[in-house]
Amino acid sequence: EVLRDSLKAREDQLATKETEASALLEKLEAAAQDRAKVVEEKELIEAQNQNTMEELQKLQQQLNEFHQEKQTASSSNAASDLEIEHVNTLQDELSMAKTELTGKDEELAQLRKEIDAIRDAERNAKEAER
């Protein structure tokens, strides 16, 4: 009878150990599944990071192109400003030349009047001599 009780106790211990082992096995399987999920999520995140890096590179390239265009436009604007300044200078010179020409026209008109007066005086003197 003692042997039976001892055997029964051993069987109970074995059954308990099997139950514990089964529970540990389930925990291990759950942990393995969790690990697989984590690995899967990690791979997904890495793929997303790669896509994000590619998008960032494209955006950086667009930004660089924009800066180049801006610099080109700035250079073009500077050249345009110089051209505008040159045109303004030419307009000022033209205005001064017109003013000077107007003065010369007035001098010329005055000289013509003097020449006409001299001719009239010469004509009158010739007529007076006759």
Side-chain angles (χ1 to χ4, degrees):
E1 179 130 348
V2 170
L3 270 166
R4 260 191 214 152
D5 288 344
S6 177
L7 188 59
K8 177 77 171 134
R10 283 290 221 174
E11 287 176 352
D12 289 346
Q13 278 181 339
L14 200 63
T16 302
K17 296 266 183 201
E18 283 179 359
T19 304
E20 288 174 357
S22 179
L24 281 174
L25 187 60
E26 286 177 14
K27 282 183 179 179
L28 265 171
E29 288 173 354
Q33 287 176 351
D34 288 346
R35 183 174 174 3
K37 285 180 185 176
V38 167
V39 168
E40 198 175 300
E41 287 176 10
K42 178 186 169 212
E43 289 172 354
L44 180 64
I45 289 170
E46 286 175 348
Q48 289 172 341
N49 283 348
Q50 181 65 31
N51 290 340
T52 302
M53 287 300 291
E54 289 172 4
E55 288 178 31
L56 278 174
Q57 287 174 345
K58 287 177 186 176
L59 288 172
Q60 183 65 47
Q61 184 177 357
Q62 289 175 350
L63 183 62
N64 291 343
E65 289 171 1
F66 171 76
H67 283 304
Q68 279 183 323
E69 290 173 8
K70 182 180 172 190
Q71 191 171 4
T72 301
S74 180
S75 297
S76 178
N77 285 344
S80 293
D81 289 346
L82 287 175
E83 290 173 3
I84 289 170
E85 188 176 320
H86 182 66
V87 167
N88 288 339
T89 301
L90 290 176
Q91 286 177 335
D92 291 344
E93 289 175 7
L94 180 61
S95 179
M96 288 189 292
K98 284 181 180 177
T99 302
E100 193 176 315
L101 186 59
T102 300
K104 297 289 183 192
D105 283 346
E106 290 171 359
E107 285 180 35
L108 184 58
Q110 184 61 36
L111 287 175
R112 284 187 178 144
K113 286 181 184 176
E114 290 176 16
I115 290 171
D116 287 344
I118 292 170
R119 284 184 183 155
D120 286 344
E122 285 177 352
R123 203 175 318 127
N124 290 340
K126 284 183 182 178
E127 285 181 17
E129 282 181 17
R130 287 188 198 161

